[in-house]
Amino acid sequence: MNNEFMPNFLLKRAFLTPKRTAIYFHDETLTFQELYDRAYDTAGKLQKLSLRKDQYVGVLLKTHLDTVIILFALQLLGVKAVILNNRLTPTELTWQLTDSKAAFLITETAFSNMGLPKQIIKEELFAVEKEIPVIQEEISLSEVCTIMYTSGTTGNPKGVMQTYGNHWWSAVGSALNLGINDHDCWLCAVPLFHISGYSILMRSVIYGMPIVLHESFHVEKTLKDLTEKKVTIMSVVTTTLTRIVDHLKEESLPNHFRCMLLGGGPAPLPLLEKCVEKNIPVFQSYGMTETASQIVTLSPEYSLSKLGSAGKPLFPAQIKIELEDGQAASKGKPGEIVVKGPNVTKGYLFRPEVTREKIHDGWLYTGDIGYLDDEGFLFVLDRRSDLIISGGENIYPAELEAVLLAHPDIVDAGVTGMEDAKWGHVPAAFIVKKEGSTLSEEELVQFCLDRLAKYKVPKGFYFTKSLPRNAAKKLLRRKLWEWIKEGSDKE
Amino acid sequence: MNNEFMPNFLLKRAFLTPKRTAIYFHDETLTFQELYDRAYDTAGKLQKLSLRKDQYVGVLLKTHLDTVIILFALQLLGVKAVILNNRLTPTELTWQLTDSKAAFLITETAFSNMGLPKQIIKEELFAVEKEIPVIQEEISLSEVCTIMYTSGTTGNPKGVMQTYGNHWWSAVGSALNLGINDHDCWLCAVPLFHISGYSILMRSVIYGMPIVLHESFHVEKTLKDLTEKKVTIMSVVTTTLTRIVDHLKEESLPNHFRCMLLGGGPAPLPLLEKCVEKNIPVFQSYGMTETASQIVTLSPEYSLSKLGSAGKPLFPAQIKIELEDGQAASKGKPGEIVVKGPNVTKGYLFRPEVTREKIHDGWLYTGDIGYLDDEGFLFVLDRRSDLIISGGENIYPAELEAVLLAHPDIVDAGVTGMEDAKWGHVPAAFIVKKEGSTLSEEELVQFCLDRLAKYKVPKGFYFTKSLPRNAAKKLLRRKLWEWIKEGSDKE
């Protein structure tokens, strides 16, 4: 089909507007031509090291200009990037590399001593003599571009396949909602290994728009660059937006700034009220790795009148709410949020059975609960019951429980989220110990730190005699959550 | 494939931004909700008259708000609109209606006495009692939305199939080039039966942008509305742009105006120079019915330095220049212009053999001649040799020759374009009469008027003893053109 094929995004962008600024990183500024030239060189070096089209290759890098160049080099070669969260432990990383059959791992010195297989160290890569790379001048929209892992109720993470088309349509859907202005500039202070960050790179080349890339979020640096780099749009999560708002005091954001794109769960009322007061235009949104970023977005004019709503689905997307019996929910009635659109993943890597379970006829069953109001605005009541969002990172209780249950002294374990002033939510674990065990909280923390990224380690451990389970022995996580709410320690 | 499906464009737009202005027409203003409601009502009436999904239905209407409503009603029903040029003769119209197997013809009183088959008269349609229509809430991008006829070297017009995807990608490609600003408003003073006009309707619903619709081009009305309706973009052809520029005298266009999108062939240097002088931002473009409007566009900053260039292909599109032996032409070397992209037609209605001849592996062979310069800018040297562009209308010599040859007194006929101060070019005919015939120019004009739209009737007739043909007896139209240039009457 004709609709399938398009020029390679960065190649085309460098051809159309070679002299436009592509990226600001610290004191460096690259045009699209310069970005292309560096990605092209790097593609030549990667090819020299035997990377080839259609391979899966792990990428474990900090957010950095080099990372941007490497990610685009992989697109030029037609290599599928398995983009790894750099806060994971060696065990977690190895699992994802094995699962994705990664032919190589591109990483950097800082991460090179974890004993991961088939490493290409960035610092050494750049010193390699390049050869002339075979560039994929044309791409198919249905071809896989990136893999990002996400967990689920089963404990094991699954690789979400994001095609070029998913990224393309996500960028276009966002553009039709936010507009594309001549002077747009997007600040990226979210990780490139998350879809929130990676999608900014794609928008940059598709729109021909500069981005300001920060290695991590710093509130002073953010405010400085919003003014100096004339940033118009920024992606934030609740925790970062809170820090910006708190830091602003009397002054307001510069006039050219037009959009705080807020992801990672609904925002608390006081925060939104403060934003209105300080004239900060907040676009709340709902999305996930499987939708290649936002799929539902709320415009600022509705941020108070539709408080708590995630908005309406972007132009190319559709949404429905389904009851447990498979019927469509009527207006106002909660059910599972089901989404469809060309930005929705075609499935999970090497897991056709999970794909078939989650995606029916193009409709993705998110597991999240919500309802549509009379005007069709989406209200997300609960991210899937097993999901904890902590400072923008997703944490899956089942994954933590599997780790805890591997401890010889633990007979049962249940994990839930608890509220936290700084991170929104953090995980808490309920533990049933073997009779006579002297296992302490300190030992448990260390046990987890050895196996889980630090942000996943439970911030609270509660020893209890039994866990709440239903007749089918299914863990009732919501009950655990109530226990915490009640402030009760069940030991 | 997931990428195939999207919500019906107008339905989705009315859902997303119901209160935004969709269209200004004379003193009427409709929001997207109102436009949807009227299209929905009309769909109910059309369904009552037995229109059904997947039928081909002719549309022969003047440019008018009613036409917009009917065109969207057809999209809601999933009916494929065969959009007819309302300057054609009954013979020409009947040919296209028969060729497209049109189940009905939607027309209006002004055109109802031409004896065309299966008519639904607009004025009667609106009086019909409506029923509840079956709306296509979801559309497939590969589904045919519209058919527009275009002629070729063979004389008979062919129906170009334009899918929803073609229109979508055309709108998106244009947006990525021109941007989408909050306050954009597009003036449509080109016919809705041409892709230049129809594509403005599609951009309106896809962007959520108001349009100002004029029944035809009037320079005073245009200048008035550019200011009063705060128009930012307008589609023009050389003749209309010339009239605007001539009319402007001392004053300049309002500040909010940002783009004259110029189609229908390269612009003459003096016109472009005047536009620069008067600060009129002209975007020259190259496109055709088969590409669902522009596929190559030149930004104003290059309008003089790249004088005569049509620009670079839009983001989703690709272009190459091919020599007669099928090899790619090197930079600067002329050859056939070949284009590819998701906005390119999937082919000609009921003509798989023509489709196979014109489209190879997604690449459309345009028949136009051009070259790419060192920087990749396209220069169109000649629209396909048999094409005459007269005031934005395409005229195909082969079609006129076929009509002339049907006259009993004519043994041979050849048509070419000649320059015309008002229309750019007009057709001229060279005639070889039967020995002893007394056929006069007046008789020939009347003969043509009975069979051809008025704009196609040759403005000059030259009687000659023979026509220039090559060894294979192929007519050398370029030779005719030279004869005219030399001012010689060959009789």
Side-chain angles (χ1 to χ4, degrees):
Chain A
M1 194 181 62
N2 288 358
N3 291 4
E4 276 291 310
F5 297 99
M6 269 179 61
N8 175 289
F9 298 163
L10 177 59
L11 175 65
K12 178 74 179 204
R13 175 48 61 196
F15 169 68
L16 285 177
T17 57
K19 291 171 191 163
R20 265 195 219 166
T21 298
I23 188 163
Y24 298 99
F25 180 73
H26 290 297
D27 294 335
E28 265 189 291
T29 303
L30 260 61
T31 64
F32 283 104
Q33 185 64 51
E34 289 164 341
L35 178 59
Y36 176 77
D37 290 343
R38 299 212 8 207
Y40 181 89
D41 274 9
T42 304
K45 293 166 192 280
L46 287 167
Q47 183 178 296
K48 180 86 178 176
L49 295 178
S50 300
L51 265 77
R52 292 292 180 271
K53 179 169 161 53
D54 292 333
Q55 284 173 340
Y56 293 91
V57 168
V59 176
L60 177 63
L61 294 167
K62 296 181 183 178
T63 293
H64 191 282
L65 176 57
D66 293 342
T67 308
V68 175
I69 290 164
I70 289 168
L71 288 170
F72 280 120
L74 294 175
Q75 287 192 20
L76 288 176
L77 291 173
V79 168
K80 301 166 203 315
V82 180
I83 306 182
L84 301 163
N85 184 323
N86 63 34
R87 303 170 70 182
L88 300 184
T89 63
T91 314
E92 292 170 309
L93 293 166
T94 302
W95 195 92
Q96 294 184 13
L97 288 166
T98 307
D99 184 68
S100 62
K101 309 194 202 308
F104 295 95
L105 169 65
I106 304 174
T107 187
E108 56 188 283
T109 309
F111 302 131
S112 64
N113 58 357
M114 291 198 281
L116 298 172
K118 300 171 193 159
Q119 295 188 28
I120 294 173
I121 310 299
K122 161 181 116 172
E123 291 81 355
E124 295 166 12
L125 166 67
F126 288 145
V128 165
E129 203 182 334
K130 69 185 183 213
E131 55 183 49
I132 293 176
V134 179
I135 295 302
Q136 304 303 312
E137 294 187 5
E138 189 180 73
I139 53 111
S140 159
L141 291 179
S142 63
E143 194 179 321
V144 171
C145 173
T146 47
I147 304 287
M148 293 186 190
Y149 274 81
T150 172
S151 290
T153 44
T154 58
N156 273 336
K158 310 178 292 288
V160 176
M161 296 188 281
Q162 296 160 334
T163 62
Y164 285 93
N166 293 151
H167 292 302
W168 171 269
W169 285 92
S170 169
V172 167
S174 178
L176 291 174
N177 187 41
L178 300 179
I180 311 177
N181 296 351
D182 262 9
H183 300 295
D184 273 336
C185 176
W186 203 303
L187 175 60
C188 177
V190 286
L192 292 177
F193 57 73
H194 277 179
I195 188 58
S196 56
Y198 193 87
S199 63
I200 298 173
L201 298 187
M202 299 306 263
R203 290 185 201 112
S204 168
V205 291
I206 293 170
Y207 305 168
M209 168 189 73
I211 65 172
V212 178
L213 182 67
H214 287 181
E215 287 170 294
S216 61
F217 174 76
H218 287 289
V219 67
E220 291 88 353
K221 199 174 170 200
T222 293
L223 291 172
K224 183 166 165 281
D225 274 0
L226 288 189
T227 300
E228 287 184 5
K229 299 294 197 301
K230 298 206 186 326
V231 168
T232 59
I233 308 177
M234 178 180 181
S235 298
V236 288
V237 293
T238 303
T239 46
T240 50
L241 181 57
T242 304
R243 290 179 61 195
I244 292 170
V245 171
D246 288 351
H247 208 87
L248 270 177
K249 306 213 171 58
E250 293 312 306
E251 69 274 37
S252 55
L253 292 181
N255 275 335
H256 56 254
F257 187 83
R258 67 187 188 90
C259 167
M260 283 287 183
L261 186 61
L262 176 62
L269 175 60
L271 176 61
L272 291 172
E273 283 174 336
K274 272 191 214 161
C275 288
V276 170
E277 198 182 293
K278 292 186 190 234
N279 217 8
I280 301 175
V282 177
F283 290 72
Q284 295 177 76
S285 69
Y286 168 73
M288 61 210 78
T289 308
E290 284 90 337
T291 59
S293 101
Q294 35 154 354
I295 186 162
V296 178
T297 303
L298 185 72
S299 305
E301 62 262 41
Y302 294 109
S303 75
L304 287 183
S305 67
K306 294 287 177 183
L307 182 80
S309 169
K312 290 179 177 179
L314 296 180
F315 199 102
Q318 302 178 68
I319 193 169
K320 63 182 180 183
I321 303 294
E322 213 174 278
L323 302 175
E324 283 198 3
D325 61 5
Q327 298 294 303
S330 50
K331 291 283 157 73
K333 203 163 160 73
E336 182 170 6
I337 301 169
V338 191
V339 296
K340 182 175 181 175
N343 58 320
V344 172
T345 180
K346 61 180 186 177
Y348 300 94
L349 185 66
F350 306 137
R351 284 186 169 65
E353 73 293 347
V354 183
T355 301
R356 275 193 299 273
E357 182 196 317
K358 292 275 188 184
I359 304 175
H360 303 163
D361 208 14
W363 289 94
L364 171 76
Y365 285 73
T366 65
D368 295 333
I369 305 301
Y371 68 90
L372 298 172
D373 76 1
D374 289 346
E375 294 172 78
F377 286 87
L378 172 69
F379 287 77
V380 182
L381 293 178
D382 210 356
R383 294 304 291 252
R384 49 209 237 189
S385 53
D386 58 332
L387 176 62
I388 304 164
I389 304 181
S390 184
E393 291 280 358
N394 289 349
I395 302 174
Y396 300 90
E399 186 185 1
L400 277 56
E401 289 159 4
V403 165
L404 292 167
L405 286 168
H407 192 287
D409 277 10
I410 294 179
V411 290
D412 203 0
V415 171
T416 185
M418 62 182 184
E419 288 180 10
D420 182 90
K422 183 168 182 193
W423 302 112
H425 289 87
V426 292
F430 289 79
I431 307 285
V432 181
K433 285 196 280 196
K434 196 178 276 184
E435 286 233 350
S437 162
T438 58
L439 185 64
S440 71
E441 179 165 341
E442 291 67 37
E443 286 170 303
L444 265 176
V445 168
Q446 191 52 52
F447 181 79
C448 289
L449 279 172
D450 293 343
R451 288 160 182 83
L452 290 167
K454 195 174 169 196
Y455 68 90
K456 295 181 187 172
V457 175
K459 298 297 175 293
F461 287 91
Y462 302 92
F463 295 103
T464 177
K465 292 204 181 63
S466 67
L467 293 178
R469 293 188 178 273
N470 69 10
K473 297 295 170 204
K474 188 177 180 309
L475 180 64
L476 301 171
R477 290 208 185 84
R478 179 158 292 276
K479 200 80 189 169
L480 298 178
W481 183 81
E482 284 166 15
W483 286 359
I484 289 174
K485 276 293 216 197
E486 291 158 10
S488 38
D489 185 333
K490 291 287 162 184
E491 191 168 13
Chain B
M1 195 182 64
N2 287 357
N3 291 3
E4 274 293 310
F5 297 99
M6 270 181 61
N8 175 289
F9 297 163
L10 178 59
L11 175 64
K12 178 74 179 203
R13 174 49 61 197
F15 168 68
L16 285 178
T17 57
K19 291 170 192 165
R20 265 195 219 165
T21 299
I23 188 164
Y24 299 99
F25 180 74
H26 290 298
D27 295 335
E28 264 188 292
T29 303
L30 260 61
T31 64
F32 283 104
Q33 185 64 52
E34 288 163 344
L35 178 59
Y36 176 78
D37 290 343
R38 298 211 7 207
Y40 181 89
D41 274 8
T42 304
K45 293 168 193 281
L46 288 167
Q47 183 178 295
K48 179 87 179 177
L49 296 178
S50 300
L51 265 76
R52 293 292 181 271
K53 178 169 162 51
D54 292 333
Q55 285 173 341
Y56 293 91
V57 168
V59 176
L60 176 65
L61 295 167
K62 296 180 183 177
T63 293
H64 191 282
L65 176 57
D66 294 343
T67 308
V68 175
I69 289 164
I70 289 169
L71 289 170
F72 280 119
L74 295 175
Q75 287 192 20
L76 287 176
L77 292 173
V79 167
K80 300 167 203 316
V82 180
I83 306 182
L84 301 163
N85 185 324
N86 64 34
R87 302 169 71 184
L88 300 185
T89 62
T91 314
E92 293 169 307
L93 293 166
T94 303
W95 195 91
Q96 295 184 13
L97 288 167
T98 308
D99 184 69
S100 62
K101 308 193 202 311
F104 295 95
L105 170 65
I106 304 175
T107 187
E108 56 188 285
T109 309
F111 302 132
S112 63
N113 58 358
M114 291 197 281
L116 298 172
K118 301 171 195 161
Q119 295 187 31
I120 295 174
I121 310 297
K122 161 181 116 170
E123 292 81 356
E124 295 167 14
L125 166 67
F126 288 145
V128 166
E129 202 181 335
K130 71 185 180 211
E131 54 184 51
I132 294 176
V134 179
I135 296 302
Q136 304 304 312
E137 295 187 4
E138 189 179 74
I139 52 109
S140 159
L141 291 180
S142 62
E143 196 180 319
V144 171
C145 173
T146 47
I147 304 287
M148 293 186 190
Y149 274 81
T150 172
S151 290
T153 43
T154 59
N156 273 337
K158 309 178 292 289
V160 176
M161 296 189 280
Q162 296 160 335
T163 62
Y164 285 93
N166 293 150
H167 292 302
W168 171 269
W169 285 92
S170 168
V172 167
S174 178
L176 291 174
N177 186 41
L178 300 179
I180 311 176
N181 296 351
D182 261 10
H183 301 295
D184 274 337
C185 177
W186 203 304
L187 174 60
C188 177
V190 285
L192 290 177
F193 57 73
H194 277 179
I195 187 59
S196 57
Y198 192 87
S199 63
I200 298 173
L201 297 187
M202 298 306 263
R203 290 185 202 113
S204 167
V205 290
I206 292 170
Y207 306 168
M209 170 190 71
I211 66 172
V212 178
L213 182 67
H214 287 181
E215 287 170 294
S216 60
F217 174 77
H218 286 290
V219 66
E220 292 89 352
K221 200 174 171 203
T222 293
L223 291 172
K224 181 166 166 282
D225 274 0
L226 288 189
T227 300
E228 286 184 6
K229 299 293 196 302
K230 297 206 186 324
V231 168
T232 59
I233 307 177
M234 178 180 182
S235 298
V236 288
V237 292
T238 303
T239 44
T240 51
L241 181 58
T242 304
R243 290 179 62 194
I244 292 169
V245 171
D246 288 350
H247 208 85
L248 268 179
K249 306 216 170 58
E250 292 313 305
E251 70 274 37
S252 56
L253 293 181
N255 275 334
H256 56 252
F257 187 83
R258 67 185 188 91
C259 167
M260 284 288 184
L261 186 62
L262 175 63
L269 174 60
L271 176 61
L272 291 173
E273 282 173 338
K274 271 191 215 161
C275 287
V276 170
E277 198 182 295
K278 293 186 189 237
N279 216 8
I280 300 175
V282 178
F283 289 71
Q284 296 178 74
S285 69
Y286 168 74
M288 60 209 80
T289 309
E290 284 90 336
T291 59
S293 101
Q294 36 156 353
I295 186 162
V296 178
T297 302
L298 185 73
S299 305
E301 61 263 41
Y302 295 108
S303 74
L304 287 184
S305 67
K306 293 287 176 183
L307 182 80
S309 169
K312 291 180 175 178
L314 296 179
F315 200 102
Q318 302 177 68
I319 194 169
K320 63 182 181 183
I321 304 293
E322 214 175 276
L323 302 175
E324 282 198 5
D325 61 5
Q327 298 295 303
S330 49
K331 291 285 158 72
K333 201 161 161 76
E336 182 170 6
I337 301 169
V338 190
V339 295
K340 182 175 182 177
N343 57 321
V344 172
T345 181
K346 61 180 187 178
Y348 300 94
L349 186 66
F350 306 136
R351 285 186 168 67
E353 72 294 347
V354 182
T355 301
R356 274 193 299 273
E357 182 196 319
K358 292 275 188 184
I359 304 175
H360 303 163
D361 207 15
W363 290 94
L364 171 76
Y365 285 73
T366 65
D368 295 333
I369 304 300
Y371 68 90
L372 298 173
D373 76 1
D374 289 346
E375 294 172 77
F377 285 87
L378 172 69
F379 287 77
V380 182
L381 292 177
D382 211 356
R383 293 305 291 252
R384 48 210 236 193
S385 52
D386 57 331
L387 176 62
I388 304 164
I389 304 181
S390 184
E393 290 281 359
N394 290 348
I395 301 174
Y396 299 89
E399 186 185 358
L400 277 56
E401 289 160 4
V403 166
L404 292 167
L405 287 169
H407 192 289
D409 277 10
I410 293 181
V411 289
D412 203 359
V415 171
T416 185
M418 61 182 185
E419 288 180 10
D420 182 89
K422 183 168 182 194
W423 303 110
H425 289 87
V426 292
F430 288 80
I431 306 285
V432 181
K433 286 196 280 196
K434 195 178 274 185
E435 286 234 351
S437 163
T438 57
L439 185 63
S440 70
E441 178 165 343
E442 292 66 36
E443 288 170 300
L444 266 177
V445 168
Q446 191 52 52
F447 181 79
C448 289
L449 279 172
D450 292 344
R451 289 159 182 83
L452 289 168
K454 195 174 170 198
Y455 69 90
K456 296 181 187 171
V457 175
K459 298 296 174 294
F461 287 90
Y462 301 91
F463 296 103
T464 177
K465 293 203 178 64
S466 66
L467 294 179
R469 292 188 179 273
N470 68 10
K473 297 294 171 207
K474 188 177 180 310
L475 181 64
L476 302 171
R477 291 207 185 84
R478 179 158 293 276
K479 199 81 190 168
L480 298 178
W481 183 79
E482 283 166 16
W483 286 0
I484 289 174
K485 277 293 217 194
E486 292 158 12
S488 40
D489 185 334
K490 291 287 163 181
E491 192 169 13

